Amino acid sequence: MIHSQPNRIGLTSRQTLLLVFAGASLWFLAAVLLRIIAPMGALEGTMRGVSYALVIPGTYPFVLLTKWLVALRDDQMAIGIAVATTTALLIDGIVVAWFPAVYGGHLPQVTNCAAIILWGAGVALLLSFFMNKGEYK
């Protein structure tokens, strides 16, 4: 059985493992989606702004789903989403440096995909900061 006592960041081992899995899964879903829509021009010109704007309402359900799946309390939202987001960003950095073909292989498409992943990470963190409540009592 996975240890159920909070670790030094206030999450149980189970929550931490689930958050790492959630971050990796959400990165994968985003990467697949971006690989499909980037060649269609969704990350260039005027459509770039539309895509960035759509990330905001598109990220919110995933933050709520992560909260529910991981059983995060209201006071764990910021740290919990930060763990998931950190996982996604670490994967993104590895992919851009060593496996750019995941995003299409060509420089403009790779950088556009990596940039919107960064934007989505920032949006997720910002949402979690607003959703985070005071200390649990």
Side-chain angles (χ1 to χ4, degrees):
M1 181 168 168
I2 296 176
H3 198 266
S4 63
Q5 292 297 316
N7 57 25
R8 63 185 170 155
I9 61 172
L11 300 168
T12 65
S13 296
R14 178 184 180 279
Q15 286 176 311
T16 304
L17 288 172
L18 287 172
L19 287 162
V20 167
F21 179 76
S25 299
L26 292 174
W27 171 85
F28 179 77
L29 290 173
V32 168
L33 177 64
L34 291 170
R35 179 67 191 254
I36 293 168
I37 68 169
M40 297 176 193
L43 304 178
E44 299 173 6
T46 306
M47 288 307 298
R48 178 181 293 156
V50 172
S51 295
Y52 272 62
L54 288 173
V55 167
I56 298 168
T59 301
Y60 185 68
F62 288 107
V63 170
L64 292 177
L65 179 65
T66 300
K67 178 184 182 189
W68 178 74
L69 287 173
V70 181
L72 293 173
R73 298 186 316 259
D74 289 342
D75 66 314
Q76 294 176 311
M77 283 301 294
I79 192 66
I81 298 303
V83 170
T85 302
T86 298
T87 303
L89 290 174
L90 290 170
I91 294 169
D92 187 55
I94 291 168
V95 166
V96 170
W98 286 287
F99 307 102
V102 169
Y103 289 146
H106 302 293
L107 202 55
Q109 185 168 325
V110 172
T111 56
N112 287 339
C113 289
I116 201 163
I117 293 277
L118 290 171
W119 170 254
V123 167
L125 288 170
L126 191 60
L127 288 170
S128 73
F129 295 157
F130 282 114
M131 296 171 70
N132 200 76
K133 303 289 188 235
E135 185 178 345
Y136 181 75
K137 298 181 183 196

